[in-house]
Amino acid sequence: MSGRIEPESISRRDYLGLAGVGSATAAVVFCTVGMLRLPKPRVLPDVSGLLRLGNASKFPPATVTVLPEHKVCVFGTDDGIAVMSLVCTHLGCIVQKTETGFDCPCHGSKFGPQGELLAGPAPRRLPWWAVSQSPDGTILVDLAKEVAASEAYRA
Amino acid sequence: MASHSSPTFLDNLKALPGNLWNAIFRHGRPTSDRARSQAVFSNVFLHIHSARVHPHSLRLATTWGLGVGLVAQFIILTVTGILLMVYYMPAIGMAYDSMKDIHYVVPTGRVIRNVHRWASHMMVVFVILHMMRVFYTASYKKPREFNWMVGMILFVLTLALAFTGYILPWDQLAYWALTIAANIAGSPNELTASLGFAEGFKPGDVLKELLLGSSEAGQHSLIRFYTLHCVFLPVLTTIAVAVHFWRIRKDGGLARPQGTPTPAGGHPPKVGPAPSMAAPAVQVEEAPRKTYGLMCVVRDRSPHTGKDPDETVPSWPYLLRAELLVFMVVMLMCVALGYFFDAPLRELANPALPENPAKAPWYFLGLQEIVSYSAFVGGIVIPTLTIIGLGLIPFLDREEEAPGIWFSGPRGRRAAAQAAVFAMIAAVLTVAIPVNFGWLRNWFPGIHQLVIIFVNPGTLLTAAYIVWSLVVIRRTRSTRLGGIALFTCFVVGFVILTYVGTYLRGPNWDFYWSTSQWPGH
């Protein structure tokens, strides 16, 4: 029963002072954290991630259609249609079509005719987007869903 | 009690102008040195000066007026900025049109905008020159270490103000600079992805969304950058400038070489063991336990020990005159440049088509060059290391020496020259090797992205500069000379990469000796 150590007594004035400073610090920290939450948006005010490209007949086999306004490139083949992003995987510029494939104007990343990474600072190839067809024949592109090259083509 | 007749209303009215004047200005008319010194001492706007100043601080070659020039530019930017806010509209459908209005319709709008733009460019130049002056004269040394760090913060704030400023016109430059900067903020994703973290783990997205308020540049981004540029960053800068000034005074005024006598309030440079600068604790012990006045707080035996007041000259008129001169020169340069050279305004922002080449303003083109090797390392790691490394120099080099001597003498001048040659060769190779022979991805197409991130011309250049400085420290056994080597490498590397980005990079960031070789010419 003798193991208990009596805490050193603290004067009432010191106790109240420490309590005051402590609660003020807690309040400031609490308010700061609360305020810092504001600039992080809960809902992103973005454009729709679903792109409608019209009828599949607009993209016949053996054609490559660049649609810079949608930041995609549409490949028409005998196997179907594939849609590739034109947004550089380095820092988000729009790549431009050249004789060798796609070049980025901002930092010199170079991609092949199928978007494969050739040179430059980009960390990876240009992504393929998931393509589907609505019952009325409209081509739908899901700009949030990346797919592997083998799954890129939809008849 | 009321033996004196209290003044009548009419008396008060008659005495009003004089009493009003005396209430505002507590010193007499500035007709003598003493009265002028009192004015400097008691006026809130003048009291940032010491009442007396050493002639060495007034010599052009001591400071080249760079610090005062920066204040002048900041004032010009604040005034012209407020004027531009009268017409500028931070909305993406209107911002560009309001810029056109400011240029073509608003009375004096063209010149005001041009002056704002030129003052900002000059501020970037002056910040770098000011930093060089302070560094090469060893003025960052104890007790001025902290003020050097405040200066680094001001350097970053200046660049941040410049960057947020050129976002606001919402032209092509603005849109693509914003997109690229936000993606640099998001580039830690590149690292986590190549380390094999889960697809959904994107730490970079937090910062990117904080900057943009969205996942793409748009209205929410513009209003955020408007707030940063017009309120947040100027307030931070003002506070940092106040601390910077305060510390100049508290650290003993401008740095002076040994032997130049010190004015009152400063402390003389000492030889031998480290002077006990952190004296207040000691002095409190020496001072009796009672209320103590200024004498006990000033860092020396007394505010005036061992100093001959005749060594100094009064701040009013000598210092004020020098400051006014610098202010007028800066003002003249801004107005002359602004009158004859228009600030550019590119095409309206087009999210579908970046310009080719898409170039940042000149002061970021060195950065753009190393970002073109790797987004994460070039855009985040190397700049952060550079700022931290430069900021810590006063703590890594603590050699005792008298400040105020350029390059600390001939050995330093030689170290700087050698480092400049080395830095130039290394920076040229950094650009020339990838341009002529390609880089790892051209040689090994399947190479892992982690290798590209950490082994690229930018990281190798940084490593070469660090190694060179360490070798200098080892060979000369002097951290000061190592510091001179490192800082010189930084300056020369910055200049060369900026030159390459400005003049030698063309469409698709390809290398061209001149713009006349660009395709389409």
Side-chain angles (χ1 to χ4, degrees):
Chain A
M1 284 299 170
S2 62
R4 184 150 177 250
I5 299 166
E6 285 297 324
E8 220 167 277
S9 68
I10 175 170
S11 78
R12 181 185 306 196
R13 185 182 292 260
D14 285 351
Y15 173 76
L16 288 176
L18 283 174
V21 171
S23 54
T25 310
V28 168
V29 169
F30 187 78
C31 292
T32 309
V33 171
M35 286 191 291
L36 286 179
R37 285 184 59 204
L38 184 137
K40 176 89 172 70
R42 185 173 282 163
V43 175
L44 297 181
D46 292 344
V47 287
S48 166
L50 192 67
L51 189 60
R52 290 158 200 278
L53 292 182
N55 200 283
S57 60
K58 279 164 67 183
F59 310 103
T63 58
V64 178
T65 315
V66 174
L67 299 172
E69 68 274 25
H70 298 306
K71 305 178 182 181
V72 293
C73 178
V74 186
F75 293 79
T77 67
D78 293 332
D79 296 335
I81 285 170
V83 178
M84 189 179 77
S85 166
L86 289 179
V87 179
C88 183
T89 53
H90 179 227
L91 289 173
C93 290
I94 306 300
V95 296
Q96 287 161 19
K97 190 149 174 40
T98 61
E99 289 157 11
T100 54
F102 298 89
D103 289 357
C104 182
C106 293
H107 302 94
S109 288
K110 301 203 188 307
F111 303 90
Q114 300 278 312
E116 59 273 33
L117 183 54
L118 298 182
R124 55 199 203 94
R125 57 158 298 128
L126 298 173
W128 297 104
W129 296 129
V131 181
S132 59
Q133 207 167 9
S134 71
D136 64 356
T138 302
I139 298 290
L140 300 176
V141 185
D142 188 346
L143 296 178
K145 193 175 172 196
E146 192 182 338
V147 294
S150 55
E151 301 166 29
Y153 291 87
R154 283 284 181 279
Chain B
M1 282 295 289
S3 55
H4 300 282
S5 61
S6 34
T8 64
F9 173 72
L10 262 177
D11 292 337
N12 287 346
L13 203 59
K14 263 189 266 176
L16 178 69
N19 285 339
L20 188 62
W21 180 270
N22 290 338
I24 300 172
F25 303 103
R26 293 191 166 160
H27 47 81
R29 294 172 65 81
T31 47
S32 67
D33 276 352
R34 184 167 179 277
R36 284 189 286 264
S37 294
Q38 258 176 347
V40 170
F41 198 76
S42 61
N43 182 301
V44 67
F45 299 106
L46 297 180
H47 91 284
I48 56 170
H49 307 101
S50 52
R52 298 180 71 81
V53 63
H54 194 280
H56 184 269
S57 301
L58 294 173
R59 282 169 44 201
L60 183 63
T62 303
T63 61
W64 297 100
L66 293 165
V68 175
L70 283 162
V71 177
Q73 284 146 8
F74 190 65
I75 292 172
I76 292 171
L77 283 163
T78 307
V79 172
T80 52
I82 290 170
L83 288 172
L84 291 171
M85 284 171 77
V86 173
Y87 282 97
Y88 174 76
M89 296 185 221
I92 55 174
M94 305 159 94
Y96 188 77
D97 290 343
S98 64
M99 296 306 292
K100 291 246 173 189
D101 277 352
I102 287 169
H103 194 100
Y104 292 109
V105 182
V106 172
T108 73
R110 183 185 73 88
V111 172
I112 295 291
R113 173 172 176 244
N114 293 348
V115 167
H116 192 77
R117 189 253 191 180
W118 281 112
S120 81
H121 281 239
M122 277 171 58
M123 197 165 159
V124 175
V125 175
F126 271 49
V127 162
I128 295 170
L129 293 178
H130 182 56
M131 188 161 73
M132 288 170 70
R133 193 283 291 177
V134 170
F135 184 86
Y136 284 125
T137 56
S139 303
Y140 58 84
K141 295 211 165 212
K142 195 174 172 179
R144 299 185 174 83
E145 308 103 310
F146 179 68
N147 221 13
W148 169 262
M149 295 177 78
V150 177
M152 292 308 297
I153 292 170
L154 282 165
F155 173 51
V156 174
L157 284 172
T158 304
L159 291 177
L161 276 165
F163 178 77
T164 52
Y166 72 74
I167 298 303
L168 302 185
W170 208 247
D171 58 353
Q172 279 286 66
L173 174 68
Y175 183 87
W176 291 103
L178 187 52
T179 301
I180 289 169
N183 280 307
I184 288 178
S187 67
N189 291 346
E190 190 182 293
L191 183 70
T192 54
S194 53
L195 283 171
F197 281 94
E199 186 83 351
F201 180 67
K202 290 186 171 173
D205 282 4
V206 177
L207 194 52
K208 183 177 167 180
E209 282 168 15
L210 274 179
L211 281 177
L212 292 184
S214 168
S215 56
E216 277 183 32
Q219 177 60 61
H220 288 74
S221 330
L222 181 56
I223 202 77
R224 276 166 195 238
F225 276 77
Y226 178 70
T227 312
L228 284 175
H229 185 73
C230 301
V231 184
F232 186 72
L233 292 172
V235 169
L236 273 191
T237 307
T238 307
I239 294 170
V241 167
V243 175
H244 206 55
F245 284 180
W246 174 258
R247 288 303 285 246
I248 295 173
R249 292 287 307 282
K250 295 293 138 183
D251 294 344
L254 296 183
R256 267 185 313 282
Q258 226 161 4
T260 42
T262 359
H267 55 86
K270 291 171 188 164
V271 250
S276 57
M277 282 302 309
V282 178
Q283 275 158 8
V284 172
E285 279 173 29
E286 283 173 353
R289 280 183 173 262
K290 59 175 187 180
T291 48
Y292 49 87
L294 186 62
M295 299 277 277
C296 301
V297 186
V298 171
R299 291 163 161 177
D300 234 319
R301 276 167 297 169
S302 88
H304 290 279
T305 27
K307 282 144 205 160
D308 182 357
D310 288 340
E311 291 158 2
T312 61
V313 295
S315 294
W316 186 351
Y318 295 100
L319 178 57
L320 296 188
R321 198 161 63 193
E323 288 177 344
L324 191 65
L325 178 69
V326 173
F327 195 98
M328 294 305 288
V329 169
V330 166
M331 188 92 148
L332 180 70
M333 286 164 73
C334 287
V335 172
L337 287 167
Y339 191 82
F340 291 109
F341 301 99
D342 282 347
L345 184 65
R346 315 268 180 94
E347 280 178 70
L348 178 62
N350 179 0
L353 187 74
E355 288 179 326
N356 194 358
K359 286 194 182 186
W362 64 268
Y363 39 84
F364 285 134
L365 285 178
L367 198 59
Q368 190 167 350
E369 180 67 27
I370 53 171
V371 164
S372 81
Y373 305 124
S374 159
F376 176 60
V377 168
I380 293 186
V381 176
I382 295 178
T384 310
L385 278 182
T386 306
I387 296 298
I388 293 176
L390 291 179
L392 291 183
I393 280 186
F395 299 95
L396 301 177
D397 163 32
R398 297 186 76 76
E399 278 168 27
E400 287 280 328
E401 69 180 283
I405 298 170
W406 281 87
F407 298 98
S408 306
R411 284 180 80 206
R413 210 167 288 135
R414 198 162 54 242
Q418 287 165 348
V421 172
F422 171 78
M424 196 180 297
I425 293 169
V428 169
L429 286 178
T430 298
V431 178
I433 292 174
V435 164
N436 287 300
F437 305 108
W439 195 247
L440 293 171
R441 180 120 50 212
N442 306 80
W443 308 332
F444 315 103
I447 195 165
H448 198 276
Q449 178 61 22
L450 263 188
V451 183
I452 299 278
I453 291 178
F454 288 107
V455 183
N456 65 58
T459 54
L460 295 183
L461 183 67
T462 311
Y465 287 171
I466 293 172
V467 168
W468 176 268
S469 319
L470 293 177
V471 168
V472 169
I473 291 177
R474 207 186 151 87
R475 288 189 48 177
T476 62
R477 296 174 193 284
S478 162
T479 48
R480 168 66 176 153
L481 294 181
I484 288 179
L486 183 64
F487 188 80
T488 307
C489 283
F490 158 73
V491 172
V492 172
F494 176 84
V495 170
I496 300 233
L497 293 182
T498 304
Y499 177 82
V500 171
T502 308
Y503 293 107
L504 304 181
R505 291 295 182 177
N508 299 331
W509 206 246
D510 287 333
F511 186 90
Y512 295 93
W513 280 112
S514 93
T515 46
S516 61
Q517 297 171 331
W518 288 14
H521 276 263

